[in-house]
Amino acid sequence: MNTLSITVNNVSLTFGGQKLFSGADLKFMSGNCYGVIGANGAGKSTFLRILSGELEPTTGNVFIQPGLRMSTLKQDQFKYDEFNVMDTVIMGNQRLYDIMQEKDALYAKPDFSDEDGVKAAELEGEFAEMNGWEAESDAATLLTGLGLPADMHYSQMADLKGGEKFKVLLAQALFGNPDILLLDEPTNNLDNKSVAWLEDFLMDFPGTLIVVSHDRWFLNNVCTHIVDIDFNQVKLYVGNYDFWYESSQMMKQLMNDQKKRREDKIKELQDFIQRFSANKSKAKQATSRRKLLDQLTMEEMPASSRRYPWVCFTPDREAGKDILTVEGINYTQDGVQLLKDVSFIVTKGQKIALVGANEQAQTALFRILTEEIQPDSGTIKWGVTISTNYFPKDNSAYFDGCDLNMMEWFAQYSPEQLETYMRGFLGRMLFSGDDVYKKVSVLSGGEKVRCMLSRMMLSGANFLMLDQPTNHLDLESITAVNNGLINFPGNVIFTSQDHQFITTIADRIIEIKPDGTIADYYCNYEEYLEKVKA
């Protein structure tokens, strides 16, 4: 039975003179997962900091039921550099770690007294009650599931790379069966196998889970509720992200469309609720979620002020029969062979996802296809009708040290130089007013990505290559790019860490293995995962 764990009463926050949200009244229950969403800068991470007690709200209070232990995903990757990996994970349950340290100190005393013996016995009892004897094996299970190999479990934290440290901090948050779990972007730095493991772990989590994430697939799989920060308010809705997105779009249409009868739209929304509640793939949550959805009223449906960029790739000409032939590509970088005997043929209309743990190899293949670098051996042959455009993972060469404003930068790629045309195009990419006169060198990561997408749309290419295009984007922009590539009639080769992005676009998967060879799968991403699992 679900029980109340956190109560939020009239919480408001004003930050730097700007009101992020006000009057938040929410109740969080055990057994539920709450996905926190909102536009960039809306205050998602800040809201988690208020719930954890790290940040005091301007008004109101957060009440946590007595006796419940809260665990959070730490953001400071250097905090535990003086400790080893295993100790860092066990620190996720600070009381258990303290007992272990106190026990070790007692037993190490040269003048161990009777009084010390009594204290040690008390500690041993508490240690056993907290499953202390299984602590290291439990921690090892978490680390292995998240993709950190066993030979690193006792390494010094200072010796780990950033992505490896992140996995340790995530294992720390999950360790020791907390009652309340707050996770801010937990899928960052995880490969798809580790994300799948994390989803399964969280699906079985019996406590209260509150998570901020830009990963739509993750939000859909684990969330029972969505906490939406919008209109300077924090509102709670039943359902996962897809339900929130689709119903919010329908509500927006209902509010905007005055020509159609309101009753017809209401009936359409109600039918949508019924279809959604009867079509859940996760059996564990289906029954409870259906009951929740059945109780929804129109007043509880989400409305949103979100703006989505317009992303539409239109080729200037249709591709012919011959697209791309890659034969025997080998490439070594810094003494490491990234690509080995890579051969494949691309046929018309195919949309190919490059997958694998070695992102350097993926980027190297893109750079060879664009002729930025030359392979050690092998050939690349493009069809005579093919025009290409490349979206690099690192776009710094286009912006760093550039003295142009956004209009001037955009004009370099625009076939139409009229200011009204360029302003209109940039406006649809959510750059409006004086934004278009900002220097491109000071743009945020997400703004630079939207500029690069604009450049790609203007190219008219019929073959698109995109290396991690969803990095730095918010959920709205990811959705827009996703839909734009689904609708694109030409060829695509791309990489992404976004499960839903790959699943909904790719009809072919090329896996670059650790030794640089490839495995070629003529299927979608879900079928590929099943084949690899088998």
Side-chain angles (χ1 to χ4, degrees):
M1 181 177 178
N2 292 10
T3 57
L4 181 64
S5 58
I6 305 176
T7 304
V8 176
N9 293 314
N10 192 35
V11 164
S12 302
L13 184 71
T14 301
F15 198 74
Q18 178 185 0
K19 182 189 289 183
L20 286 181
F21 43 78
S22 63
D25 290 296
L26 307 168
K27 295 183 187 298
F28 296 97
M29 310 292 290
S30 65
N32 290 338
C33 172
Y34 302 85
V36 183
I37 64 171
N40 284 349
K44 301 182 292 294
S45 297
T46 303
F47 183 66
L48 253 61
R49 292 174 62 203
I50 290 173
L51 294 180
S52 71
E54 182 186 341
L55 184 66
E56 283 290 323
T58 307
T59 67
N61 60 78
V62 175
F63 177 74
I64 297 173
Q65 295 296 318
L68 299 185
R69 186 171 74 84
M70 176 184 286
S71 185
T72 64
L73 174 57
K74 306 292 192 301
Q75 301 299 316
D76 183 358
Q77 295 192 354
F78 303 101
K79 183 176 181 179
Y80 299 94
D81 276 1
E82 62 184 287
F83 301 98
N84 69 35
V85 168
M86 185 60 65
D87 284 350
T88 302
V89 175
I90 295 174
M91 282 181 200
N93 188 337
Q94 191 62 48
R95 177 56 188 160
L96 176 61
Y97 180 77
D98 290 344
I99 290 172
M100 294 170 68
Q101 297 301 299
E102 195 172 350
K103 278 201 315 156
D104 290 347
L106 278 174
Y107 292 137
K109 290 177 67 173
D111 54 344
F112 189 82
S113 65
D114 291 343
E115 186 179 334
D116 291 331
V118 172
K119 180 62 176 176
E122 292 174 356
L123 292 172
E124 290 289 5
E126 190 175 354
F127 181 73
E129 286 179 9
M130 299 178 76
N131 294 321
W133 297 111
E134 288 79 42
E136 292 199 10
S137 63
D138 289 347
T141 298
L142 294 171
L143 291 166
T144 302
L146 292 170
L148 201 73
D151 60 6
M152 300 180 70
H153 291 184
Y154 291 89
S155 299
Q156 205 67 16
M157 284 289 286
D159 296 332
L160 269 57
K161 299 175 183 175
E164 294 164 343
K165 287 183 177 181
F166 177 85
K167 292 177 180 180
V168 177
L169 294 178
L170 180 53
Q172 180 193 73
L174 303 178
F175 177 77
N177 305 312
D179 303 292
I180 301 168
L181 187 54
L182 307 184
L183 301 177
D184 193 350
E185 297 290 358
T187 60
N188 283 0
N189 297 297
L190 298 185
D191 58 29
N192 291 316
K193 183 179 178 182
S194 299
V195 172
W197 179 91
L198 179 62
E199 288 174 3
D200 288 339
F201 180 93
L202 295 177
M203 285 290 293
D204 291 327
F205 181 67
T208 303
L209 173 62
I210 305 174
V211 58
V212 171
S213 178
H214 283 95
D215 188 327
R216 297 164 299 161
W217 187 272
F218 179 78
L219 290 173
N220 282 329
N221 280 345
V222 303
C223 290
T224 58
H225 297 72
I226 292 295
V227 176
D228 183 29
I229 303 179
D230 198 4
F231 297 110
N232 297 119
Q233 295 181 310
V234 185
K235 296 225 171 162
L236 179 63
Y237 300 103
V238 175
N240 63 10
Y241 177 76
D242 271 356
F243 180 79
W244 174 88
Y245 171 72
E246 293 180 38
S247 54
S248 69
Q249 293 297 297
M250 296 175 77
M251 278 297 289
K252 188 173 183 178
Q253 185 180 358
L254 172 62
M255 291 186 291
N256 291 341
D257 191 351
Q258 301 299 323
K259 296 179 182 178
K260 295 186 179 179
R261 294 176 59 222
R262 178 178 174 84
E263 292 77 11
D264 290 343
K265 286 294 175 187
I266 292 174
K267 179 64 168 59
E268 185 180 347
L269 277 168
Q270 290 169 337
D271 290 344
F272 168 70
I273 293 172
Q274 293 301 316
R275 289 199 311 274
F276 190 92
S277 64
N279 190 33
K280 292 309 298 168
S281 60
K282 290 285 186 178
K284 292 179 185 177
Q285 295 181 352
T287 303
S288 61
R289 193 176 285 163
R290 188 177 298 117
K291 289 177 181 177
L292 292 168
L293 289 168
D294 287 344
Q295 297 169 13
L296 277 180
T297 64
M298 281 295 298
E299 288 71 26
E300 294 170 315
M301 296 291 284
S304 173
S305 68
R306 303 287 207 289
R307 296 175 63 212
Y308 292 78
W310 174 82
V311 178
C312 180
F313 304 102
T314 305
D316 289 338
R317 64 182 294 186
E318 184 179 351
K321 182 180 177 182
D322 296 326
I323 307 297
L324 170 64
T325 301
V326 176
E327 288 187 355
I329 291 296
N330 290 276
Y331 180 71
T332 300
Q333 181 176 299
D334 299 327
V336 178
Q337 186 161 16
L338 298 180
L339 301 170
K340 180 179 179 181
D341 299 326
V342 173
S343 299
F344 59 90
I345 296 173
V346 179
T347 58
K348 188 174 180 177
Q350 285 182 332
K351 295 179 179 179
I352 302 168
L354 297 181
V355 302
N358 193 341
E359 293 185 6
Q360 273 188 305
Q362 297 166 6
T363 298
L365 180 56
F366 279 124
R367 296 182 68 199
I368 289 169
L369 293 177
T370 59
E371 299 182 353
E372 284 186 18
I373 58 176
Q374 293 298 314
D376 302 329
S377 60
T379 60
I380 303 291
K381 184 180 179 182
W382 291 98
V384 294
T385 62
I386 302 303
S387 55
T388 67
N389 199 265
Y390 174 46
F391 180 103
K393 180 164 59 176
D394 179 6
N395 59 37
S396 57
Y398 292 85
F399 300 100
D400 289 358
C402 182
D403 196 44
L404 301 178
N405 65 37
M406 198 180 303
M407 280 281 281
E408 293 167 336
W409 188 93
F410 183 82
Q412 298 175 104
Y413 309 105
S414 176
E416 176 58 74
Q417 295 293 302
L418 278 175
E419 182 174 341
T420 52
Y421 170 83
M422 293 192 290
R423 270 189 169 277
F425 197 106
L426 288 168
R428 288 187 292 182
M429 291 301 287
L430 307 187
F431 298 114
S432 57
D434 291 339
D435 283 349
V436 299
Y437 297 114
K438 284 168 63 174
K439 296 288 186 182
V440 295
S441 57
V442 301
L443 296 179
S444 69
E447 288 173 328
K448 288 177 180 176
V449 170
R450 279 187 275 135
C451 282
M452 294 298 289
L453 290 169
S454 299
R455 169 182 170 273
M456 180 168 265
M457 284 189 278
L458 291 166
S459 72
N462 55 25
F463 194 114
L464 305 180
M465 294 174 280
L466 303 99
D467 194 359
Q468 302 289 347
T470 58
N471 287 357
H472 306 294
L473 292 182
D474 56 22
L475 281 166
E476 292 72 44
S477 297
I478 291 171
T479 301
V481 178
N482 198 157
N483 292 337
L485 290 175
I486 289 172
N487 296 327
F488 177 61
N491 285 90
V492 182
I493 294 182
F494 70 98
T495 64
S496 178
Q497 295 295 332
D498 188 306
H499 190 124
Q500 187 158 334
F501 196 84
I502 304 173
T503 299
T504 53
I505 296 170
D507 53 26
R508 179 179 173 186
I509 309 295
I510 294 180
E511 177 186 356
I512 302 180
K513 297 184 175 183
D515 65 356
T517 62
I518 66 169
D520 204 344
Y521 298 85
Y522 288 79
C523 61
N524 63 33
Y525 189 54
E526 288 300 296
E527 291 168 334
Y528 156 76
L529 291 176
E530 286 298 320
K531 289 179 180 180
V532 171
K533 189 176 181 181

